[in-house]
Amino acid sequence: LPNGLTNIYFDTFYGCSGFTGSLNLPEGLTRIGEWAFENCRGFNGSLNLPAGLTIIETEAFYGCSGFTGSLNLPEGLTRIGDWAFTHCMGFTGALNLPAGLTSIEEYTFSNCSGFSGDLTISDKITTIGKYAFYNCSGFSGDLTISDKITTIGKYAFYNCIGFNGSLKLPDGLMTISESTFWNCEGFTGSLDLPAGLTGIEGYAFTHCLGFTGDLIIPNKVTTIGEYVFWECSGFNGSLNLPAGLTTIGEFAFYGCTGLNGSLKLPAGLTTIGKDAFENCTGFTELLISTNLTSIGEAAFKSCGNISGKIIFPISLSNIGKQGFAGCNKVEAFRFPHTTPIPYSKDMLPGGATVEVPTSAVDTYKATDGWKNHNIVGY
């Protein structure tokens, strides 16, 4: 393209998929408009963006899958629109984000799977949009996120499996969105969650296998969504749950085999979803919260190293089927209820000792399900 060109308008080369060589942009160019080169799949070689470029608009290079080599973003760039480089799968090498950039929009680098090395989100960036780095599976170093970040959209780092080292999330982050770090299995250090965090949405860290150390949920978190830490088996310390937690979603800690020691459920917890702690074989003690009302199906199934007594509160009204199946080391399950709660199929290990008020022993011994256990009074 000729020298003197300063602006490429929207749709200018949209769908011109016949190009088979390089794209040479002039030094005076300052703006590339919406959809300017969308689906120009034939370009090859590096994409060299001129130093004076300040704006790349929405979907400017969407689907330009032929580019190879590094993507060199000029330091003066202040805006990269959403979907700007989606499906540009040929880039290799580091992705260096310019210092003047203030946000990363939705889908900006989605499916750019060739980037490698570290990724540093600079101090001026406050927002990372949803799907921003979705399926960028090539990164092979640290992920450094500035403390100025207040929002990270859902699926932002989905399947970025190469990151390693610890992950420290910014202090201003209030919520970890759905599936933000799903399948980022390369992390090898601690997970540092910000003190101001109030919620962790479903699938946020699903299959992040490499985290180690304790898992500390900040004090302001009230809800842990479904599948949040599913198969995060690398944690090898304690699980600390906040006092204000009210709900643990389905499969939330499923397969977190390395978490160990005593599991203390906070007083405010009322609901535990199905399979929430299934196969958490490291726990050796379970202290039930005083206001718990419901334990889901298979919630503690195969937590085979829990021992001692498990004491349930009077508020408990339901345990799903196989709720404690395979918890064979438990000395006794104590229920304060004089009227038995409904018995779900295989909710306790076969033949387990069940402690109930002395006045209710005969009632339990005459009730289906309960009568198959060793009923004793206390």
Side-chain angles (χ1 to χ4, degrees), residues 44-79:
N44 56 48
S46 298
L47 174 58
N48 296 310
L49 300 172
L53 188 66
T54 58
I55 298 173
I56 300 174
E57 296 285 12
T58 298
E59 298 185 42
F61 294 97
Y62 179 101
C64 293
S65 57
F67 291 119
T68 58
S70 300
L71 171 61
N72 299 311
L73 299 172
E75 279 302 305
L77 197 64
T78 59
R79 169 176 162 74

PDB file of all heavy atoms in Angstrom, residues 44-79:
ATOM      1  N   ASN A  44       0.981 -14.063   3.771  1.00  0.00           N
ATOM      2  CA  ASN A  44       1.960 -14.861   4.502  1.00  0.00           C
ATOM      3  C   ASN A  44       3.107 -13.973   4.953  1.00  0.00           C
ATOM      4  O   ASN A  44       3.157 -12.790   4.634  1.00  0.00           O
ATOM      5  CB  ASN A  44       2.453 -16.049   3.668  1.00  0.00           C
ATOM      6  CG  ASN A  44       3.018 -15.620   2.333  1.00  0.00           C
ATOM      7  OD1 ASN A  44       3.837 -14.696   2.262  1.00  0.00           O
ATOM      8  ND2 ASN A  44       2.566 -16.257   1.256  1.00  0.00           N
ATOM      9  N   GLY A  45       3.981 -14.545   5.745  1.00  0.00           N
ATOM     10  CA  GLY A  45       5.069 -13.755   6.305  1.00  0.00           C
ATOM     11  C   GLY A  45       4.609 -12.984   7.529  1.00  0.00           C
ATOM     12  O   GLY A  45       3.482 -13.136   8.021  1.00  0.00           O
ATOM     13  N   SER A  46       5.477 -12.124   8.037  1.00  0.00           N
ATOM     14  CA  SER A  46       5.165 -11.343   9.231  1.00  0.00           C
ATOM     15  C   SER A  46       4.179 -10.229   8.914  1.00  0.00           C
ATOM     16  O   SER A  46       4.078  -9.765   7.775  1.00  0.00           O
ATOM     17  CB  SER A  46       6.443 -10.744   9.821  1.00  0.00           C
ATOM     18  OG  SER A  46       7.345 -11.744  10.219  1.00  0.00           O
ATOM     19  N   LEU A  47       3.440  -9.824   9.947  1.00  0.00           N
ATOM     20  CA  LEU A  47       2.590  -8.649   9.837  1.00  0.00           C
ATOM     21  C   LEU A  47       3.320  -7.506  10.547  1.00  0.00           C
ATOM     22  O   LEU A  47       3.385  -7.472  11.778  1.00  0.00           O
ATOM     23  CB  LEU A  47       1.226  -8.896  10.485  1.00  0.00           C
ATOM     24  CG  LEU A  47       0.292  -7.684  10.568  1.00  0.00           C
ATOM     25  CD1 LEU A  47       0.018  -7.114   9.179  1.00  0.00           C
ATOM     26  CD2 LEU A  47      -1.013  -8.050  11.269  1.00  0.00           C
ATOM     27  N   ASN A  48       3.883  -6.608   9.779  1.00  0.00           N
ATOM     28  CA  ASN A  48       4.640  -5.492  10.334  1.00  0.00           C
ATOM     29  C   ASN A  48       3.765  -4.252  10.361  1.00  0.00           C
ATOM     30  O   ASN A  48       3.414  -3.691   9.321  1.00  0.00           O
ATOM     31  CB  ASN A  48       5.901  -5.251   9.499  1.00  0.00           C
ATOM     32  CG  ASN A  48       6.843  -6.438   9.563  1.00  0.00           C
ATOM     33  OD1 ASN A  48       7.159  -6.935  10.640  1.00  0.00           O
ATOM     34  ND2 ASN A  48       7.284  -6.905   8.396  1.00  0.00           N
ATOM     35  N   LEU A  49       3.392  -3.845  11.553  1.00  0.00           N
ATOM     36  CA  LEU A  49       2.519  -2.691  11.729  1.00  0.00           C
ATOM     37  C   LEU A  49       3.374  -1.442  11.917  1.00  0.00           C
ATOM     38  O   LEU A  49       4.311  -1.445  12.725  1.00  0.00           O
ATOM     39  CB  LEU A  49       1.610  -2.911  12.941  1.00  0.00           C
ATOM     40  CG  LEU A  49       0.701  -4.149  12.840  1.00  0.00           C
ATOM     41  CD1 LEU A  49      -0.019  -4.395  14.160  1.00  0.00           C
ATOM     42  CD2 LEU A  49      -0.313  -3.984  11.709  1.00  0.00           C
ATOM     43  N   PRO A  50       3.079  -0.370  11.212  1.00  0.00           N
ATOM     44  CA  PRO A  50       3.930   0.825  11.266  1.00  0.00           C
ATOM     45  C   PRO A  50       3.927   1.487  12.642  1.00  0.00           C
ATOM     46  O   PRO A  50       2.953   1.410  13.393  1.00  0.00           O
ATOM     47  CB  PRO A  50       3.318   1.741  10.206  1.00  0.00           C
ATOM     48  CG  PRO A  50       1.929   1.246  10.011  1.00  0.00           C
ATOM     49  CD  PRO A  50       1.954  -0.216  10.273  1.00  0.00           C
ATOM     50  N   ALA A  51       5.033   2.179  12.939  1.00  0.00           N
ATOM     51  CA  ALA A  51       5.241   2.757  14.269  1.00  0.00           C
ATOM     52  C   ALA A  51       4.197   3.802  14.635  1.00  0.00           C
ATOM     53  O   ALA A  51       3.862   3.976  15.812  1.00  0.00           O
ATOM     54  CB  ALA A  51       6.634   3.376  14.331  1.00  0.00           C
ATOM     55  N   GLY A  52       3.622   4.492  13.646  1.00  0.00           N
ATOM     56  CA  GLY A  52       2.659   5.544  13.944  1.00  0.00           C
ATOM     57  C   GLY A  52       1.232   5.071  14.121  1.00  0.00           C
ATOM     58  O   GLY A  52       0.330   5.883  14.398  1.00  0.00           O
ATOM     59  N   LEU A  53       0.990   3.783  13.978  1.00  0.00           N
ATOM     60  CA  LEU A  53      -0.375   3.253  14.080  1.00  0.00           C
ATOM     61  C   LEU A  53      -0.893   3.403  15.512  1.00  0.00           C
ATOM     62  O   LEU A  53      -0.220   3.010  16.470  1.00  0.00           O
ATOM     63  CB  LEU A  53      -0.387   1.786  13.668  1.00  0.00           C
ATOM     64  CG  LEU A  53      -1.746   1.119  13.520  1.00  0.00           C
ATOM     65  CD1 LEU A  53      -2.530   1.722  12.348  1.00  0.00           C
ATOM     66  CD2 LEU A  53      -1.596  -0.393  13.309  1.00  0.00           C
ATOM     67  N   THR A  54      -2.083   3.971  15.653  1.00  0.00           N
ATOM     68  CA  THR A  54      -2.663   4.164  16.983  1.00  0.00           C
ATOM     69  C   THR A  54      -3.938   3.360  17.211  1.00  0.00           C
ATOM     70  O   THR A  54      -4.271   3.044  18.358  1.00  0.00           O
ATOM     71  CB  THR A  54      -2.987   5.647  17.226  1.00  0.00           C
ATOM     72  OG1 THR A  54      -3.896   6.103  16.222  1.00  0.00           O
ATOM     73  CG2 THR A  54      -1.715   6.484  17.192  1.00  0.00           C
ATOM     74  N   ILE A  55      -4.651   3.008  16.146  1.00  0.00           N
ATOM     75  CA  ILE A  55      -5.944   2.332  16.303  1.00  0.00           C
ATOM     76  C   ILE A  55      -6.069   1.176  15.321  1.00  0.00           C
ATOM     77  O   ILE A  55      -5.849   1.338  14.124  1.00  0.00           O
ATOM     78  CB  ILE A  55      -7.123   3.307  16.091  1.00  0.00           C
ATOM     79  CG1 ILE A  55      -7.097   4.431  17.141  1.00  0.00           C
ATOM     80  CG2 ILE A  55      -8.452   2.574  16.139  1.00  0.00           C
ATOM     81  CD1 ILE A  55      -8.130   5.509  16.892  1.00  0.00           C
ATOM     82  N   ILE A  56      -6.438   0.002  15.852  1.00  0.00           N
ATOM     83  CA  ILE A  56      -6.853  -1.147  15.037  1.00  0.00           C
ATOM     84  C   ILE A  56      -8.288  -1.444  15.454  1.00  0.00           C
ATOM     85  O   ILE A  56      -8.542  -1.803  16.613  1.00  0.00           O
ATOM     86  CB  ILE A  56      -5.953  -2.368  15.266  1.00  0.00           C
ATOM     87  CG1 ILE A  56      -4.500  -2.048  14.899  1.00  0.00           C
ATOM     88  CG2 ILE A  56      -6.450  -3.563  14.447  1.00  0.00           C
ATOM     89  CD1 ILE A  56      -3.525  -3.167  15.249  1.00  0.00           C
ATOM     90  N   GLU A  57      -9.213  -1.290  14.554  1.00  0.00           N
ATOM     91  CA  GLU A  57     -10.624  -1.418  14.913  1.00  0.00           C
ATOM     92  C   GLU A  57     -11.107  -2.881  14.888  1.00  0.00           C
ATOM     93  O   GLU A  57     -10.365  -3.803  14.547  1.00  0.00           O
ATOM     94  CB  GLU A  57     -11.479  -0.574  13.950  1.00  0.00           C
ATOM     95  CG  GLU A  57     -11.218   0.915  14.024  1.00  0.00           C
ATOM     96  CD  GLU A  57     -11.820   1.571  15.269  1.00  0.00           C
ATOM     97  OE1 GLU A  57     -12.247   0.849  16.197  1.00  0.00           O
ATOM     98  OE2 GLU A  57     -11.834   2.819  15.313  1.00  0.00           O
ATOM     99  N   THR A  58     -12.366  -3.041  15.227  1.00  0.00           N
ATOM    100  CA  THR A  58     -13.025  -4.339  15.342  1.00  0.00           C
ATOM    101  C   THR A  58     -12.820  -5.212  14.097  1.00  0.00           C
ATOM    102  O   THR A  58     -13.018  -4.747  12.969  1.00  0.00           O
ATOM    103  CB  THR A  58     -14.537  -4.133  15.571  1.00  0.00           C
ATOM    104  OG1 THR A  58     -14.721  -3.435  16.801  1.00  0.00           O
ATOM    105  CG2 THR A  58     -15.276  -5.454  15.596  1.00  0.00           C
ATOM    106  N   GLU A  59     -12.392  -6.444  14.322  1.00  0.00           N
ATOM    107  CA  GLU A  59     -12.273  -7.485  13.291  1.00  0.00           C
ATOM    108  C   GLU A  59     -11.369  -7.080  12.127  1.00  0.00           C
ATOM    109  O   GLU A  59     -11.505  -7.602  11.013  1.00  0.00           O
ATOM    110  CB  GLU A  59     -13.655  -7.902  12.772  1.00  0.00           C
ATOM    111  CG  GLU A  59     -14.546  -8.498  13.847  1.00  0.00           C
ATOM    112  CD  GLU A  59     -15.868  -9.031  13.325  1.00  0.00           C
ATOM    113  OE1 GLU A  59     -15.877  -9.671  12.258  1.00  0.00           O
ATOM    114  OE2 GLU A  59     -16.890  -8.809  14.000  1.00  0.00           O
ATOM    115  N   ALA A  60     -10.440  -6.184  12.363  1.00  0.00           N
ATOM    116  CA  ALA A  60      -9.595  -5.683  11.272  1.00  0.00           C
ATOM    117  C   ALA A  60      -8.850  -6.798  10.547  1.00  0.00           C
ATOM    118  O   ALA A  60      -8.739  -6.784   9.315  1.00  0.00           O
ATOM    119  CB  ALA A  60      -8.597  -4.661  11.816  1.00  0.00           C
ATOM    120  N   PHE A  61      -8.340  -7.781  11.294  1.00  0.00           N
ATOM    121  CA  PHE A  61      -7.606  -8.893  10.678  1.00  0.00           C
ATOM    122  C   PHE A  61      -8.264 -10.239  10.999  1.00  0.00           C
ATOM    123  O   PHE A  61      -7.614 -11.280  10.953  1.00  0.00           O
ATOM    124  CB  PHE A  61      -6.155  -8.898  11.171  1.00  0.00           C
ATOM    125  CG  PHE A  61      -5.358  -7.706  10.723  1.00  0.00           C
ATOM    126  CD1 PHE A  61      -5.193  -6.618  11.570  1.00  0.00           C
ATOM    127  CD2 PHE A  61      -4.796  -7.657   9.452  1.00  0.00           C
ATOM    128  CE1 PHE A  61      -4.463  -5.510  11.167  1.00  0.00           C
ATOM    129  CE2 PHE A  61      -4.065  -6.556   9.040  1.00  0.00           C
ATOM    130  CZ  PHE A  61      -3.899  -5.476   9.900  1.00  0.00           C
ATOM    131  N   TYR A  62      -9.539 -10.235  11.307  1.00  0.00           N
ATOM    132  CA  TYR A  62     -10.254 -11.473  11.646  1.00  0.00           C
ATOM    133  C   TYR A  62     -10.075 -12.506  10.530  1.00  0.00           C
ATOM    134  O   TYR A  62     -10.275 -12.226   9.350  1.00  0.00           O
ATOM    135  CB  TYR A  62     -11.739 -11.169  11.825  1.00  0.00           C
ATOM    136  CG  TYR A  62     -12.588 -12.375  12.166  1.00  0.00           C
ATOM    137  CD1 TYR A  62     -12.996 -12.614  13.468  1.00  0.00           C
ATOM    138  CD2 TYR A  62     -12.999 -13.279  11.185  1.00  0.00           C
ATOM    139  CE1 TYR A  62     -13.783 -13.703  13.791  1.00  0.00           C
ATOM    140  CE2 TYR A  62     -13.771 -14.379  11.495  1.00  0.00           C
ATOM    141  CZ  TYR A  62     -14.160 -14.583  12.802  1.00  0.00           C
ATOM    142  OH  TYR A  62     -14.927 -15.681  13.112  1.00  0.00           O
ATOM    143  N   GLY A  63      -9.675 -13.703  10.907  1.00  0.00           N
ATOM    144  CA  GLY A  63      -9.577 -14.796   9.945  1.00  0.00           C
ATOM    145  C   GLY A  63      -8.397 -14.739   9.005  1.00  0.00           C
ATOM    146  O   GLY A  63      -8.338 -15.502   8.040  1.00  0.00           O
ATOM    147  N   CYS A  64      -7.429 -13.837   9.250  1.00  0.00           N
ATOM    148  CA  CYS A  64      -6.215 -13.775   8.409  1.00  0.00           C
ATOM    149  C   CYS A  64      -5.231 -14.817   8.932  1.00  0.00           C
ATOM    150  O   CYS A  64      -4.260 -14.492   9.637  1.00  0.00           O
ATOM    151  CB  CYS A  64      -5.606 -12.376   8.459  1.00  0.00           C
ATOM    152  SG  CYS A  64      -6.627 -11.110   7.684  1.00  0.00           S
ATOM    153  N   SER A  65      -5.474 -16.056   8.589  1.00  0.00           N
ATOM    154  CA  SER A  65      -4.758 -17.178   9.201  1.00  0.00           C
ATOM    155  C   SER A  65      -3.409 -17.475   8.564  1.00  0.00           C
ATOM    156  O   SER A  65      -2.702 -18.372   9.000  1.00  0.00           O
ATOM    157  CB  SER A  65      -5.629 -18.433   9.144  1.00  0.00           C
ATOM    158  OG  SER A  65      -6.005 -18.722   7.808  1.00  0.00           O
ATOM    159  N   GLY A  66      -2.998 -16.745   7.545  1.00  0.00           N
ATOM    160  CA  GLY A  66      -1.755 -17.059   6.849  1.00  0.00           C
ATOM    161  C   GLY A  66      -0.506 -16.417   7.401  1.00  0.00           C
ATOM    162  O   GLY A  66       0.608 -16.859   7.106  1.00  0.00           O
ATOM    163  N   PHE A  67      -0.653 -15.358   8.208  1.00  0.00           N
ATOM    164  CA  PHE A  67       0.525 -14.670   8.739  1.00  0.00           C
ATOM    165  C   PHE A  67       1.380 -15.620   9.576  1.00  0.00           C
ATOM    166  O   PHE A  67       0.866 -16.482  10.302  1.00  0.00           O
ATOM    167  CB  PHE A  67       0.123 -13.473   9.598  1.00  0.00           C
ATOM    168  CG  PHE A  67      -0.476 -12.326   8.839  1.00  0.00           C
ATOM    169  CD1 PHE A  67      -1.769 -11.897   9.100  1.00  0.00           C
ATOM    170  CD2 PHE A  67       0.260 -11.675   7.859  1.00  0.00           C
ATOM    171  CE1 PHE A  67      -2.322 -10.836   8.401  1.00  0.00           C
ATOM    172  CE2 PHE A  67      -0.288 -10.604   7.150  1.00  0.00           C
ATOM    173  CZ  PHE A  67      -1.585 -10.196   7.428  1.00  0.00           C
ATOM    174  N   THR A  68       2.683 -15.458   9.482  1.00  0.00           N
ATOM    175  CA  THR A  68       3.620 -16.259  10.275  1.00  0.00           C
ATOM    176  C   THR A  68       4.596 -15.322  10.979  1.00  0.00           C
ATOM    177  O   THR A  68       4.653 -14.127  10.691  1.00  0.00           O
ATOM    178  CB  THR A  68       4.402 -17.242   9.397  1.00  0.00           C
ATOM    179  OG1 THR A  68       5.119 -16.499   8.388  1.00  0.00           O
ATOM    180  CG2 THR A  68       3.466 -18.233   8.714  1.00  0.00           C
ATOM    181  N   GLY A  69       5.341 -15.862  11.904  1.00  0.00           N
ATOM    182  CA  GLY A  69       6.331 -15.060  12.608  1.00  0.00           C
ATOM    183  C   GLY A  69       5.701 -14.233  13.715  1.00  0.00           C
ATOM    184  O   GLY A  69       4.576 -14.476  14.167  1.00  0.00           O
ATOM    185  N   SER A  70       6.419 -13.223  14.146  1.00  0.00           N
ATOM    186  CA  SER A  70       5.990 -12.392  15.272  1.00  0.00           C
ATOM    187  C   SER A  70       4.903 -11.408  14.857  1.00  0.00           C
ATOM    188  O   SER A  70       4.779 -11.041  13.687  1.00  0.00           O
ATOM    189  CB  SER A  70       7.177 -11.616  15.838  1.00  0.00           C
ATOM    190  OG  SER A  70       8.188 -12.491  16.283  1.00  0.00           O
ATOM    191  N   LEU A  71       4.117 -11.002  15.844  1.00  0.00           N
ATOM    192  CA  LEU A  71       3.185  -9.898  15.668  1.00  0.00           C
ATOM    193  C   LEU A  71       3.758  -8.727  16.458  1.00  0.00           C
ATOM    194  O   LEU A  71       3.786  -8.749  17.694  1.00  0.00           O
ATOM    195  CB  LEU A  71       1.801 -10.259  16.190  1.00  0.00           C
ATOM    196  CG  LEU A  71       0.776  -9.115  16.260  1.00  0.00           C
ATOM    197  CD1 LEU A  71       0.525  -8.537  14.870  1.00  0.00           C
ATOM    198  CD2 LEU A  71      -0.537  -9.593  16.880  1.00  0.00           C
ATOM    199  N   ASN A  72       4.234  -7.724  15.762  1.00  0.00           N
ATOM    200  CA  ASN A  72       4.872  -6.581  16.410  1.00  0.00           C
ATOM    201  C   ASN A  72       3.881  -5.427  16.501  1.00  0.00           C
ATOM    202  O   ASN A  72       3.561  -4.782  15.508  1.00  0.00           O
ATOM    203  CB  ASN A  72       6.115  -6.154  15.625  1.00  0.00           C
ATOM    204  CG  ASN A  72       7.145  -7.271  15.563  1.00  0.00           C
ATOM    205  OD1 ASN A  72       7.483  -7.869  16.582  1.00  0.00           O
ATOM    206  ND2 ASN A  72       7.642  -7.558  14.358  1.00  0.00           N
ATOM    207  N   LEU A  73       3.386  -5.203  17.710  1.00  0.00           N
ATOM    208  CA  LEU A  73       2.426  -4.138  17.940  1.00  0.00           C
ATOM    209  C   LEU A  73       3.179  -2.856  18.303  1.00  0.00           C
ATOM    210  O   LEU A  73       3.974  -2.856  19.248  1.00  0.00           O
ATOM    211  CB  LEU A  73       1.468  -4.520  19.069  1.00  0.00           C
ATOM    212  CG  LEU A  73       0.626  -5.775  18.815  1.00  0.00           C
ATOM    213  CD1 LEU A  73      -0.136  -6.165  20.074  1.00  0.00           C
ATOM    214  CD2 LEU A  73      -0.340  -5.557  17.659  1.00  0.00           C
ATOM    215  N   PRO A  74       2.955  -1.748  17.598  1.00  0.00           N
ATOM    216  CA  PRO A  74       3.709  -0.513  17.865  1.00  0.00           C
ATOM    217  C   PRO A  74       3.382   0.080  19.233  1.00  0.00           C
ATOM    218  O   PRO A  74       2.263  -0.043  19.731  1.00  0.00           O
ATOM    219  CB  PRO A  74       3.273   0.419  16.731  1.00  0.00           C
ATOM    220  CG  PRO A  74       1.972  -0.123  16.256  1.00  0.00           C
ATOM    221  CD  PRO A  74       2.009  -1.605  16.479  1.00  0.00           C
ATOM    222  N   GLU A  75       4.367   0.748  19.814  1.00  0.00           N
ATOM    223  CA  GLU A  75       4.232   1.295  21.163  1.00  0.00           C
ATOM    224  C   GLU A  75       3.153   2.368  21.253  1.00  0.00           C
ATOM    225  O   GLU A  75       2.564   2.573  22.320  1.00  0.00           O
ATOM    226  CB  GLU A  75       5.569   1.867  21.632  1.00  0.00           C
ATOM    227  CG  GLU A  75       6.521   0.821  22.162  1.00  0.00           C
ATOM    228  CD  GLU A  75       5.934   0.042  23.336  1.00  0.00           C
ATOM    229  OE1 GLU A  75       5.514   0.671  24.327  1.00  0.00           O
ATOM    230  OE2 GLU A  75       5.873  -1.200  23.252  1.00  0.00           O
ATOM    231  N   GLY A  76       2.868   3.057  20.160  1.00  0.00           N
ATOM    232  CA  GLY A  76       1.865   4.115  20.194  1.00  0.00           C
ATOM    233  C   GLY A  76       0.429   3.629  20.074  1.00  0.00           C
ATOM    234  O   GLY A  76      -0.516   4.425  20.115  1.00  0.00           O
ATOM    235  N   LEU A  77       0.238   2.330  19.912  1.00  0.00           N
ATOM    236  CA  LEU A  77      -1.105   1.774  19.746  1.00  0.00           C
ATOM    237  C   LEU A  77      -1.910   1.941  21.038  1.00  0.00           C
ATOM    238  O   LEU A  77      -1.465   1.539  22.109  1.00  0.00           O
ATOM    239  CB  LEU A  77      -0.994   0.297  19.376  1.00  0.00           C
ATOM    240  CG  LEU A  77      -2.219  -0.389  18.785  1.00  0.00           C
ATOM    241  CD1 LEU A  77      -2.594   0.224  17.439  1.00  0.00           C
ATOM    242  CD2 LEU A  77      -1.956  -1.889  18.613  1.00  0.00           C
ATOM    243  N   THR A  78      -3.088   2.572  20.931  1.00  0.00           N
ATOM    244  CA  THR A  78      -3.922   2.808  22.110  1.00  0.00           C
ATOM    245  C   THR A  78      -5.196   1.978  22.122  1.00  0.00           C
ATOM    246  O   THR A  78      -5.814   1.811  23.180  1.00  0.00           O
ATOM    247  CB  THR A  78      -4.323   4.290  22.199  1.00  0.00           C
ATOM    248  OG1 THR A  78      -5.036   4.657  21.002  1.00  0.00           O
ATOM    249  CG2 THR A  78      -3.096   5.174  22.362  1.00  0.00           C
ATOM    250  N   ARG A  79      -5.583   1.470  20.955  1.00  0.00           N
ATOM    251  CA  ARG A  79      -6.817   0.676  20.911  1.00  0.00           C
ATOM    252  C   ARG A  79      -6.667  -0.472  19.935  1.00  0.00           C
ATOM    253  O   ARG A  79      -6.209  -0.294  18.800  1.00  0.00           O
ATOM    254  CB  ARG A  79      -8.010   1.544  20.502  1.00  0.00           C
ATOM    255  CG  ARG A  79      -9.279   0.762  20.174  1.00  0.00           C
ATOM    256  CD  ARG A  79     -10.461   1.649  19.864  1.00  0.00           C
ATOM    257  NE  ARG A  79     -11.512   0.933  19.163  1.00  0.00           N
ATOM    258  CZ  ARG A  79     -12.344   0.028  19.715  1.00  0.00           C
ATOM    259  NH1 ARG A  79     -12.249  -0.255  20.993  1.00  0.00           N
ATOM    260  NH2 ARG A  79     -13.264  -0.570  18.982  1.00  0.00           N
TER     261      ARG A  79
END
